Amino acid sequence: MKSPVFEDIDPASDCDCPGCVRGRGLSRSPAARTPVRPAAAHRALVVAAVTAAALGAGQAPPAAAATHTAGRLPGPPAQQPRAEEPATPQGAAGALFGSEGPAKAGELIAISATTRSQIVSRAKRWLDARVPYSMNRFWRDGYRQDCSGFVSMAWNLPRNEWTGSLGRYAVRITKGQLQPGDILLFHNPDNPQKGSHVVLFGGWTNQRHTSYIAYEQAPPHTRSRTTPYAYWTNSKRYVPYRYKGVTRGVAGPAAAPPAPYPGAAYFGPGANNPHVTRLGRMLAARGGASYYAKGPGPRWSEADRRATRAFQRAQGWTGAAADGLPGPGTWQLLVTGKGKDIQAAATASHGVPGYPGQGMFRPGAENRYVTELGRQLVRKGYGRFYTNGPGPRWSDADRRAVEAFQRAQGWRGGAADGRPGPETWRRLFA
């Protein structure tokens, strides 16, 4: 099948074991090929026969799995141990940022339309950020940092799901129908914390469809790698699924229609309703999470106005079109997944990195902005507060260093509380 033009796939194997390196060299230089010794060929046939019997007569053993897996030691294939995949425990279905507790069993909420390129693009954001794996923490976009939270984020779901509920937002497909943005899901109902896992399909790496690029959230952080179909372990138990909200590619069931614009009366000062919560969650998923200190909620706040305005400005709008109040145009872009995302780390014209918001520096926060803040404090001469150097987790060392910097500006009281606000950030990076 023809791959979409946006795929970024290296079909060559990325394994550096001696056998694969030697094999790649032989494939490029036919004249240099060395005949296989009969004894070696016999051992290879025995290994292949045992592998085929284990996988079943109806499924050929993946080529990558038959020769190597990640983490194996160098040496002949027959002597290499099987790689052990890291455990991937996950949290239950719940709200973004986990602020509203677990979702009710069987509850299904509306989904938004999205494209395959947007799904893969969102997955690559976590990949580029090397988001640490955790079943209890939430990334700055509000999604839980485990395997099911990763897919919830990539599919732009309005809350965090788990392996036991992701299938309700999708339709089962066959191996031959897989396209980038689909998933391979294994849910173990007898023991969900043992072996359950889900990966995002990124595209085939060979014409035989025996291996593919898998985007996944697994310890220690988000990764992508060439993976034997269907997975390294429990291969027969992984099921291909397609998100119902996909608007391009091979069609599954019709996507749920986007939620209609409820009207201007539901937004603005004094508003308190579920539409405000939905707006905030959509904005958080599009890069506006840093504007919320505690996560979106039903009561309209200054955080909602600022996040809305940031999204409007990201579209190139100015003046009344970027007033921070969502109109029909803003709402339509959000519910359909269209338009440009908020660039939280944008750089101002004077060279100072854009202030990411107080939510990035609250107790328990762990993100790259904390690291950037700490490094800049060290450059400014406040490194004495750090014993092990700045890191991504907000700590008392960060707070004390910020407080010392604020006091050096002549600030006192609440203005020197150790929490970096916009002016502290500007002066620190100026």
Side-chain angles (χ1 to χ4, degrees):
M1 64 186 294
K2 186 176 180 181
S3 300
V5 296
F6 59 82
E7 291 184 44
D8 183 14
I9 297 171
D10 181 3
S13 170
D14 56 1
C15 179
D16 292 325
C17 72
C20 287
V21 171
R22 183 169 61 254
R24 289 197 293 270
L26 291 177
S27 65
R28 289 191 293 268
S29 303
R33 292 177 181 161
T34 302
V36 179
R37 292 177 296 174
H42 176 71
R43 287 196 299 272
L45 287 173
V46 172
V47 172
V50 173
T51 306
L55 291 175
Q59 180 177 350
T67 57
H68 66 279
T69 54
R72 287 186 172 180
L73 301 174
Q79 298 177 359
Q80 293 176 345
R82 183 176 180 84
E84 290 296 330
E85 287 300 305
T88 53
Q90 59 182 313
L96 295 183
F97 299 98
S99 59
E100 297 182 10
K104 297 179 181 179
E107 181 185 7
L108 188 67
I109 51 184
I111 58 178
S112 300
T114 189
T115 65
R116 295 188 181 281
S117 59
Q118 288 172 335
I119 292 173
V120 175
S121 177
R122 284 189 287 265
K124 287 183 176 180
R125 288 178 201 162
W126 274 34
L127 183 66
D128 293 341
R130 296 168 66 88
V131 176
Y133 182 90
S134 174
M135 63 175 291
N136 300 311
R137 297 174 185 166
F138 299 83
W139 194 236
R140 55 177 173 264
D141 54 15
Y143 290 97
R144 193 175 55 243
Q145 296 169 212
D146 57 18
C147 63
S148 49
F150 172 67
V151 170
S152 298
M153 175 276 302
W155 280 1
N156 199 29
L157 297 180
R159 72 180 185 199
N160 286 287
E161 298 297 335
W162 70 308
T163 55
S165 60
L166 280 170
R168 296 182 301 144
Y169 294 85
V171 58
R172 290 185 64 162
I173 57 176
T174 66
K175 174 183 176 182
Q177 293 175 318
L178 276 166
Q179 295 187 52
D182 297 333
I183 64 171
L184 289 162
L185 173 67
F186 165 39
H187 177 65
N188 184 359
D190 296 329
N191 189 352
Q193 296 296 328
K194 183 66 175 179
S196 295
H197 191 43
V198 60
V199 301
L200 193 73
F201 181 82
W204 296 109
T205 60
N206 57 40
Q207 294 182 348
R208 294 179 298 159
H209 292 184
T210 58
S211 62
Y212 64 100
I213 294 294
Y215 296 97
E216 61 181 327
Q217 186 69 3
H221 51 67
T222 316
R223 64 187 182 186
S224 69
R225 60 175 177 170
T226 300
T227 303
Y229 186 84
Y231 198 66
W232 302 95
T233 55
N234 296 301
S235 181
K236 288 187 176 181
R237 304 183 69 177
Y238 278 80
V239 179
Y241 281 92
R242 172 163 299 144
Y243 177 47
K244 294 179 180 178
V246 170
T247 57
R248 296 179 189 171
V250 179
Y261 179 61
Y266 286 89
F267 306 103
N272 188 344
N273 57 77
H275 300 294
V276 176
T277 303
R278 180 175 178 82
L279 172 73
R281 289 175 177 174
M282 291 190 294
L283 288 166
R286 299 296 297 274
S290 61
Y291 291 93
Y292 295 91
K294 298 181 180 179
R299 184 179 296 278
W300 179 265
S301 67
E302 178 65 13
D304 294 303
R305 187 191 66 80
R306 293 175 58 220
T308 301
R309 184 175 61 180
F311 179 77
Q312 292 168 333
R313 287 180 173 177
Q315 315 312 311
W317 304 345
T318 59
D323 59 0
L325 294 173
T330 301
W331 185 266
Q332 182 67 15
L333 290 178
L334 288 170
V335 298
T336 59
K338 298 179 180 180
K340 298 179 180 179
D341 290 349
I342 299 170
Q343 300 298 317
T347 301
S349 59
H350 51 277
V352 178
Y355 177 62
Q358 286 191 343
M360 296 294 102
F361 308 106
R362 63 177 182 267
E366 184 173 356
N367 55 75
R368 67 184 180 88
Y369 300 109
V370 177
T371 303
E372 291 177 6
L373 173 77
R375 289 175 178 172
Q376 189 66 10
L377 285 165
V378 171
R379 296 189 190 101
K380 291 286 188 177
Y382 298 89
R384 65 184 183 276
F385 295 97
Y386 296 95
T387 57
N388 298 318
R393 180 182 290 277
W394 177 259
S395 66
D396 190 58
D398 295 302
R399 184 194 62 77
R400 291 168 59 210
V402 171
E403 181 182 1
F405 175 78
Q406 291 169 331
R407 289 185 178 278
Q409 313 308 305
W411 302 342
R412 296 293 184 270
D417 59 359
R419 296 288 297 279
E423 183 60 19
T424 299
W425 185 269
R426 186 189 68 79
R427 293 194 182 194
L428 188 59
F429 283 90

